Amino acid sequence: LGAGSGEGVGLRSRGCRCHGRLGPLQCSEPSPGATVAAQYACSLLGHALQKHGASPELQKQIRQLEGHLSLGRKLLRLGNSADALESAKRAVHLSDVVLRFCITVSHLNRALYFACDNVLWAGKSGLAPRVDQEKWAQRSFRYYLFSLIMNLSRDAYEIRLLMEQESSACSRRLKGSGGGVPGGIEMRGSGGPGAPGGGLPQLALKFRLRVLLLARVLRSHPPLLLDVVRNACDLFIPLDKLGLWRCGPGIVGLCGLVSSILSILTLICPWLRLKP
């Protein structure tokens, strides 16, 4: 994305994020698909059973199933570090400096996240029984958190540029038609800067206009909207696991399930994937 770079508001065109300029390795989510959805569904189900006083045996079975699914996910992700490094190498060639920084750093952190995940898999599978799983899990979630922060920063950057473009387009249309303001809100009654009590209503009106502009941009760009929602949902997972914001297993399971469903949706409808 870039104001004149051509990389840029590539979300206007439909296309697969994983098969755009960065090739098939661009996906930002650590492990999309039915397996991760099933794992978080088990986590959510286990929390619900615990709250409603289900039998300890049933709760134990759900926890065991969740553990097996988690181990299976880690097995399927062996080698993903190399893929993430390759994606980072491709992202270095993006012309927009902000996109280049956010996407490259995100992929580098994903590579480290997957490397820690591989160590955890070796420990849980018995190949490396002396691995300090708690320490490596904390490292893994720290890299995952920073990767998500970079993803959300990239989303915010794209939103800002799209809002500027939309605002400029609205201004040109208004100059041509002599009409009101974007979103159909009239300026009457807001008062001018010098009017008594006009400052606060005018500020509220500007805020409302910005919110409407943001809603219009996200509604017009479903891939960007899905990416924001998915990254925001994923963010709760490392925050909880690192103890930075305790949300509880129910919230973590729900956010993980929503994120997984959105990932599956982007697999079914490739045009919903954000690119580059």
Side-chain angles (χ1 to χ4, degrees), residues 29-180:
E29 65 278 2
S31 103
T35 305
V36 64
Q39 180 190 341
Y40 285 115
C42 286
S43 176
L44 190 58
L45 177 60
H47 177 69
L49 291 174
Q50 185 178 13
K51 286 191 66 176
H52 290 83
S55 66
E57 182 63 27
L58 180 58
Q59 295 184 43
K60 180 181 178 182
Q61 290 177 355
I62 295 296
R63 286 195 300 269
Q64 287 177 342
L65 177 58
E66 182 185 354
H68 291 320
L69 289 170
S70 176
L71 192 60
R73 282 177 58 199
K74 295 182 189 304
L75 175 61
L76 293 173
R77 291 189 297 192
L78 291 176
N80 279 12
S81 289
D83 290 347
L85 288 174
E86 179 65 20
S87 295
K89 186 172 70 173
R90 293 170 185 255
V92 168
H93 300 291
L94 292 173
S95 60
D96 186 281
V97 64
V98 177
L99 273 187
R100 183 166 66 243
F101 174 78
C102 290
I103 296 177
T104 302
V105 174
S106 173
H107 281 308
L108 290 176
N109 277 274
R110 284 180 62 244
L112 294 170
Y113 163 77
F114 286 129
C116 294
D117 213 45
N118 293 340
V119 174
L120 285 170
W121 175 82
K124 291 183 177 180
S125 63
L127 294 177
R130 296 184 179 180
V131 166
D132 187 338
Q133 295 194 19
E134 180 63 26
K135 181 180 71 174
W136 282 96
Q138 291 293 303
R139 288 177 179 173
S140 172
F141 283 117
R142 280 197 292 270
Y143 292 129
Y144 183 25
L145 175 61
F146 200 66
S147 176
L148 290 173
I149 291 173
M150 289 294 100
N151 290 340
L152 287 169
S153 299
R154 175 261 180 97
D155 291 337
Y157 175 69
E158 298 215 26
I159 288 172
R160 182 181 69 83
L161 286 185
L162 287 169
M163 288 179 67
E164 289 176 354
Q165 291 181 4
E166 184 70 20
S167 181
S168 299
C170 286
S171 298
R172 288 193 297 270
R173 288 196 296 267
L174 291 174
K175 288 179 180 178
S177 64

